Amino acid sequence: MYDSKAITSIYLDTRRVKTDDTYPVKLRVTFQRKRKYYSILKESLSTEDFHKVMADKPRGNLRSIRYKLDEAKHDADEVIKNLKTFSFDKFEQDYFESTNGSDDVFSYYDAYIAEVKAEGRINTAESYTYSKKSLQKFCNCNTLDFDRITASFLEKYEKAMIKKGKSLTTIGIYLRCLRTIVNVALKKGLASTYPFGKGNNHYTIKNPPARKIALTTDELILIFNYDAFETKTENYFVDLWKFSYLCCGMNVKDMCNLKYSEIVRDKIYYKREKTKRSNYNGKEIIIPVSKEIKAILDKWGQKPKEPISYVFPILKRNLTPEQFEANIKQVTKQIIKYINRVAQKVGIEVRVYTYTARHSYATHLMRHGAPTLFISKQLGHSNMKTTASYLENFEERQINKWQSKVTDFNL
């Protein structure tokens, strides 16, 4: 005999393994032996983490994931309770309306922005806010139906943004945000067509190659040999740039987050903040503490060296997500300011950024013949294509060098 009432449960969909050996988490609704599955969580989980999330007292980030899952299940149960006669079509209509409130594009933006803010992803929230405002100005409206998002609409938007002086990189960021919103709506049946992709009646987001300039060996020598610092502040921020370079191009957020507990037996063990959320099982980057790294740690590291203490005096505990991001942005600006002061003093003509340390690290190792696989691992890349883009400038120089030999007849 069939059940007269639909039953909900949280389900780890092990039918679909991802490249990092994690699985999607879904809401499973069962009615009269028929089951349907609904995506309710952006993160994917390993089997181990899923069991931890569903345990009695999950900890840390897993606790917030559990809260979202419980909330999704509660909302589904409430919808089912209020249905006079259950059907999957009626359930989906009421459930997705109750969880989002509207089928308007900008309402979905608002819901998504609120979600990522709650997760502490302030930079992501800002990107979606700028994307939303840009679309509102383009449409000159505060509501937008998903059916209006067509390939033609997107082409017109791109042309309008270029006319306003926006770069293809910025336009791409805004449209990737919109693409995510459309994907969410598509899963909920609110978008009837998918305008992104290749081919007729589809729009392809432009992805211009970024200019990644690595410093030459001579330029790196000039920076590392410079010691005529005008102030202690200048010395400090230039040393932070050097620390990034020495530590496999560690980015500013990771430097700020570095704690003494991650330095064990003359090695630094850390996971990139950029990939923690999308890859719970990501491998640690291991960096031997060289004499140069040790000198910077001894000079600027906080005392005493408590395991829970941040290495550098940049962040404090109990900061709000907004304060956290503001501190990192300020430190980044200061590093760029002072490294360029020194660069100008020693005659380096190109502008130096925090990410220049990362590209220079990768390129300098390639000059010494380090395997691309090793460089990729130390950079924390998930695929070799990303690493290859860091080394393009090096390869271009080698092409020019060897091409010049075609007229060198002195064998």
Side-chain angles (χ1 to χ4, degrees):
M1 186 172 179
Y2 294 132
D3 293 330
S4 60
K5 187 177 180 181
I7 300 171
T8 64
S9 60
I10 303 300
Y11 175 76
L12 186 69
D13 192 357
T14 54
R15 302 170 300 174
R16 293 178 52 209
V17 62
K18 296 194 173 184
T19 54
D20 58 355
D21 292 327
T22 60
Y23 306 91
V25 182
K26 297 185 176 182
L27 174 74
R28 180 170 66 187
V29 180
T30 305
F31 180 65
Q32 295 184 346
R33 295 186 181 178
K34 182 179 179 181
R35 291 174 174 174
K36 294 193 73 172
Y37 301 85
Y38 304 95
S39 297
I40 54 173
L41 192 70
K42 288 185 67 63
E43 300 94 336
S44 56
L45 298 175
S46 66
T47 304
E48 181 183 359
D49 280 339
F50 179 74
H51 289 315
K52 289 179 181 178
V53 166
M54 302 308 292
D56 288 339
K57 294 181 180 180
R59 297 181 179 181
N61 186 51
L62 299 180
R63 184 189 304 166
S64 65
I65 292 175
R66 174 62 178 273
Y67 174 80
K68 286 188 281 187
L69 295 178
D70 287 346
E71 189 176 48
K73 186 178 185 303
H74 172 77
D75 290 342
D77 289 336
E78 286 296 305
V79 168
I80 292 170
K81 185 172 71 174
N82 293 325
L83 289 176
K84 292 182 179 179
T85 305
F86 181 88
S87 72
F88 282 103
D89 288 342
K90 183 61 177 171
F91 166 77
E92 290 166 4
Q93 179 182 344
D94 290 0
Y95 178 66
F96 292 124
E97 283 185 1
S98 70
T99 54
N100 230 315
S102 172
D103 58 0
D104 166 54
V105 172
F106 300 133
S107 295
Y108 268 70
Y109 263 101
D110 291 337
Y112 193 84
I113 290 166
E115 179 183 331
V116 296
K117 274 187 176 180
E119 295 173 354
R121 296 158 55 201
I122 304 304
N123 288 338
T124 301
E126 286 182 355
S127 295
Y128 278 80
T129 300
Y130 292 139
S131 173
K132 175 193 169 187
K133 288 180 178 178
S134 175
L135 282 168
Q136 285 177 323
K137 287 183 180 179
F138 170 69
C139 300
N140 193 26
C141 62
N142 290 319
T143 60
L144 179 64
D145 293 334
F146 280 101
D147 288 342
R148 282 189 62 190
I149 310 297
T150 62
S152 175
F153 174 93
L154 297 171
E155 290 286 358
K156 290 177 182 177
Y157 171 80
E158 179 191 300
K159 290 178 181 178
M161 292 301 103
I162 291 174
K163 192 173 181 180
K164 286 185 176 183
K166 297 292 184 183
S167 67
L168 286 176
T169 299
T170 299
I171 296 168
I173 291 171
Y174 291 170
L175 289 181
R176 286 185 186 89
C177 293
L178 176 60
R179 185 174 62 187
T180 298
I181 299 299
V182 171
N183 281 330
V184 171
L186 200 65
K187 290 178 181 178
K188 298 179 179 181
L190 293 176
S192 58
T193 59
Y194 189 68
F196 296 96
K198 296 180 180 179
N200 295 331
N201 299 320
H202 286 84
Y203 171 85
T204 302
I205 297 175
K206 310 300 186 295
N207 189 27
R211 181 179 294 171
K212 300 181 173 97
I213 298 177
L215 297 181
T216 65
T217 301
D218 289 340
E219 288 168 339
L220 288 169
I221 291 171
L222 289 172
I223 286 177
F224 273 85
N225 285 346
Y226 182 84
D227 60 2
F229 296 105
E230 295 180 13
T231 64
K232 184 178 179 181
T233 300
E234 182 180 73
N235 189 183
Y236 172 61
F237 286 109
V238 171
D239 272 357
L240 287 183
W241 190 94
K242 291 180 183 178
F243 187 84
S244 170
Y245 172 84
L246 294 166
C247 292
C248 310
M250 184 185 291
N251 68 32
V252 175
K253 180 176 283 190
D254 292 323
M255 282 198 296
C256 292
N257 267 311
L258 190 65
K259 294 183 178 179
Y260 280 111
S261 60
E262 295 170 295
I263 304 177
V264 183
R265 292 183 178 178
D266 295 326
K267 286 187 175 63
I268 296 173
Y269 300 82
Y270 84 100
K271 290 185 179 181
R272 297 181 69 199
E273 289 292 323
K274 184 176 181 179
T275 56
K276 272 184 182 178
R277 179 181 160 272
S278 59
N279 186 5
Y280 292 111
N281 298 320
K283 293 182 179 179
E284 288 182 318
I285 296 172
I286 303 173
I287 307 166
V289 177
S290 64
K291 64 179 182 179
E292 293 83 4
I293 292 174
K294 187 177 184 304
I296 293 173
L297 291 174
D298 290 343
K299 188 173 185 179
W300 304 112
Q302 296 198 89
K303 307 295 187 300
K305 298 181 180 181
E306 300 290 342
I308 62 171
S309 298
Y310 293 110
V311 171
F312 297 111
I314 300 168
L315 299 177
K316 297 179 181 178
R317 278 178 282 178
N318 302 319
L319 291 177
T320 66
E322 290 80 7
Q323 291 170 330
F324 176 88
E325 293 296 340
N327 280 18
I328 291 171
K329 285 182 179 179
Q330 181 60 25
V331 170
T332 302
K333 287 180 182 179
Q334 294 294 90
I335 292 173
I336 293 171
K337 173 184 174 180
Y338 287 107
I339 191 64
N340 277 287
R341 277 193 187 181
V342 170
Q344 289 176 4
K345 291 176 187 178
V346 298
I348 297 174
E349 296 181 356
V350 297
R351 185 156 177 81
V352 183
Y353 298 91
T354 50
Y355 61 77
T356 307
R358 188 168 177 82
H359 299 305
S360 299
Y361 164 83
T363 304
H364 194 65
L365 283 190
M366 178 65 88
R367 290 174 189 142
H368 281 283
T372 305
L373 181 61
F374 171 77
I375 297 172
S376 181
K377 179 179 178 296
Q378 293 304 95
L379 290 173
H381 288 161
S382 58
N383 62 70
M384 299 286 281
K385 289 183 179 179
T386 307
T387 310
S389 71
Y390 276 65
L391 303 172
E392 282 175 356
N393 290 333
F394 170 80
E395 292 168 354
E396 287 172 7
R397 284 194 292 273
Q398 291 303 96
I399 290 170
N400 293 336
K401 174 183 175 181
W402 291 113
Q403 188 64 25
S404 68
K405 299 296 183 182
V406 297
T407 53
D408 183 356
F409 302 115
N410 298 316
L411 300 177

